[in-house]
Amino acid sequence: MTFIDILRDHLDEFNAHYEQQITSSMQQAIFAMLSCRTNTERTSQWACQSCPHHADFPLSCGHRSCPQCQHNTTEDWLAKQQAKLLPVEYYMVTFTLPFELRVIAKHQPETIYQAMFTVAASVLKDFAKNSKQLGGEIGFTGVLHTHNRRRDYHPHIHFIIPAGSFNKDKRQWHKSKGKYLFNSFNLAKVWRARLLEKLTDELNCKLPEAIPKKWVVDCQHVGKGLPALKYLSRYLYRGVLPDRNIISNIDGHVSFEYQNSQTGTTEIRTLPTVKFLYQILQHVLPKGLRRVRDYGLLQGSCRKLRLQIQLMLAVAGAVFPIIAEVKKVVAIRSCPCCQQPMKFMGVHGKKHARLTSFIMQKTREPNATV
């Protein structure tokens, strides 16, 4: 049982129950997922090189919320981030939107998420400039997550930060020492003040009366950067719940498993089927919104400078992490007639595919003319 199977079987009931909450982005995601590998308007065409057999196969939808797609996209992103790793300690700083503001985020997701990125990045840059340990330009990567492990709506941004800075005037890399980067309580105070100011003064958002005085920002030492990057890559492009985590769909209820972040144990959550569908689809992001962003030294435009820093560290004797080669996944299909490999012939539209099939059939016939 997959998420798409459940969605297809209960779509009418879902639409009737959540008609007012379904956004255009959710509608687009639903259409894409239900069309994934079933829509024959565009197909990939394959031909056997050992016998006359040929076949067309529907394409994947490619939507970032689809649990069947984007595996290669995730691997490509992870490979690019690994190439940026430095032989230093890393920290993960997490900025969380308080519960009282999540209603606004649901109604204005693009506005709120963009504001979260802008404000959180400015806080980190200013803290780095004023830090005695850093005092220069830093680099960091931010990833937006909209859920916790129970898949409740819980917008937050994880930032992965290498513990070091670059002094452009002296052309020197300054390595941060110890297991401390920034004070979490001070980060939270500035995060709260700046985000509320941006929402009210710049974006004219109407805020609720009861806003907590204490917000949550977590700053943790995570050792080397690769484990943290792998953690962040889990939910980037393949939906928020892997199909393997869905364990049952019985009597109008769906059960899925998740790992409790506090105890590390695997737990099971059961929801009515329609509520389960909304629990997952509410995390579909607005079209065009970037959920992953690089800042400072980790931006694409700083590649040359980043290579210079890596060279400096290598000359100084630093040991760089060994990066495993990412193997490209090559699509392979075997011929059902002779079991020999089939050759990919291209992607075609429906009319073009029928015409090509007709031509291939005719050209295999003796004395045929087209």
Side-chain angles (χ1 to χ4, degrees):
M1 177 62 62
T2 68
F3 175 80
I4 294 178
D5 291 331
I6 299 172
L7 177 62
R8 182 178 292 109
D9 292 343
H10 298 272
L11 181 60
D12 292 340
E13 185 182 357
F14 172 76
N15 287 334
H17 197 277
Y18 287 99
E19 181 180 2
Q20 301 301 321
Q21 289 100 312
I22 298 176
T23 65
S24 59
S25 297
M26 290 169 62
Q27 290 175 338
Q28 292 169 359
I30 291 171
F31 175 79
M33 286 188 277
L34 295 181
S35 302
C36 189
R37 302 178 187 177
T38 61
N39 189 345
T40 57
E41 289 298 320
R42 297 181 71 242
T43 60
S44 62
Q45 191 170 62
W46 298 73
C48 182
Q49 302 302 291
S50 302
C51 75
H53 183 78
H54 65 276
D56 293 343
F57 298 93
L59 298 178
S60 300
C61 67
H63 197 282
R64 60 180 170 182
S65 296
C66 179
Q68 296 184 142
C69 295
Q70 302 287 347
H71 176 73
N72 285 352
T73 306
T74 301
E75 294 298 325
D76 291 344
W77 177 84
L78 190 57
K80 291 177 181 178
Q81 292 298 328
Q82 288 181 39
K84 300 178 183 180
L85 286 174
L86 299 174
V88 299
E89 298 298 304
Y90 275 75
Y91 289 81
M92 181 183 288
V93 183
T94 305
F95 293 81
T96 302
L97 190 70
F99 174 81
E100 290 75 7
L101 296 181
R102 293 174 195 172
V103 174
I104 301 176
K106 272 195 173 184
H107 287 88
Q108 304 178 57
E110 192 165 7
T111 299
I112 301 300
Y113 297 156
Q114 179 63 46
M116 289 174 64
F117 268 114
T118 301
V119 172
S122 72
V123 172
L124 291 176
K125 289 178 181 179
D126 288 346
F127 268 68
K129 288 180 181 178
N130 297 325
S131 170
K132 293 181 180 180
Q133 294 191 77
L134 297 174
E137 184 176 358
I138 63 172
F140 49 93
T141 296
V143 177
L144 171 69
H145 284 172
T146 60
H147 60 88
N148 57 18
R149 298 194 181 189
R150 285 170 52 85
R151 274 57 181 190
D152 295 317
Y153 188 64
H154 187 268
H156 57 281
I157 303 178
H158 293 295
F159 288 96
I160 298 296
I161 308 175
S165 63
F166 183 72
N167 188 313
K168 289 187 176 181
D169 296 329
K170 298 181 180 180
R171 306 293 296 176
Q172 291 180 346
W173 172 261
H174 182 72
K175 183 179 179 180
S176 177
K177 299 179 181 179
K179 306 297 182 183
Y180 174 85
L181 189 65
F182 303 131
N183 183 287
S184 297
F185 295 103
N186 292 338
L187 284 171
K189 289 180 181 178
V190 180
W191 161 241
R192 179 186 187 277
R194 290 191 182 180
L195 185 59
L196 290 179
E197 181 182 6
K198 187 172 187 64
L199 294 179
T200 55
D201 296 347
E202 294 185 30
L203 303 177
N204 297 318
C205 293
K206 186 177 180 181
L207 303 182
E209 295 181 2
I211 298 178
K213 293 184 178 180
K214 291 185 178 181
W215 288 20
V216 178
V217 174
D218 184 53
C219 184
Q220 288 188 7
H221 174 252
V222 292
K224 303 306 177 183
L226 185 56
L229 288 173
K230 288 183 176 180
Y231 167 77
L232 295 180
S233 69
R234 292 179 191 173
Y235 309 111
L236 283 184
Y237 302 105
R238 301 194 74 190
V240 300
L241 182 69
D243 285 335
R244 64 178 179 272
N245 286 20
I246 301 175
I247 58 178
S248 69
N249 177 25
I250 303 173
D251 296 331
H253 288 75
V254 176
S255 296
F256 63 93
E257 61 182 17
Y258 66 95
Q259 188 178 50
N260 188 306
S261 57
Q262 301 297 322
T263 64
T265 59
T266 299
E267 297 185 3
I268 295 176
R269 185 176 187 184
T270 302
L271 295 171
T273 303
V274 174
K275 185 175 181 180
F276 164 78
L277 291 173
Y278 182 75
Q279 194 79 7
I280 303 304
L281 291 170
Q282 67 178 329
H283 303 296
V284 172
L285 295 177
K287 185 178 180 180
L289 180 79
R290 290 186 298 125
R291 81 181 320 160
V292 185
R293 309 186 187 194
D294 295 319
Y295 296 88
L297 300 176
L298 298 185
Q299 292 183 96
S301 59
C302 292
R303 182 176 181 275
K304 185 176 180 180
L305 175 58
R306 195 165 52 248
L307 291 174
Q308 292 175 352
I309 294 172
Q310 291 175 331
L311 180 61
M312 291 178 190
L313 294 173
V315 172
V319 178
F320 281 76
I322 298 176
I323 301 174
E325 182 180 356
V326 178
K327 296 181 180 180
K328 291 287 185 181
V329 179
V330 180
I332 299 176
R333 292 187 182 276
S334 298
C335 178
C337 300
C338 62
Q339 305 305 315
Q340 295 300 309
M342 299 183 75
K343 183 179 181 181
F344 174 63
M345 306 300 292
V347 175
H348 305 290
K350 193 171 185 179
K351 293 180 180 179
H352 190 188
R354 283 202 296 262
L355 177 60
T356 305
S357 175
F358 172 76
I359 293 174
M360 292 178 65
Q361 181 180 357
K362 285 296 183 182
T363 53
R364 289 193 176 107
E365 296 177 0
N367 301 322
T369 57
V370 180

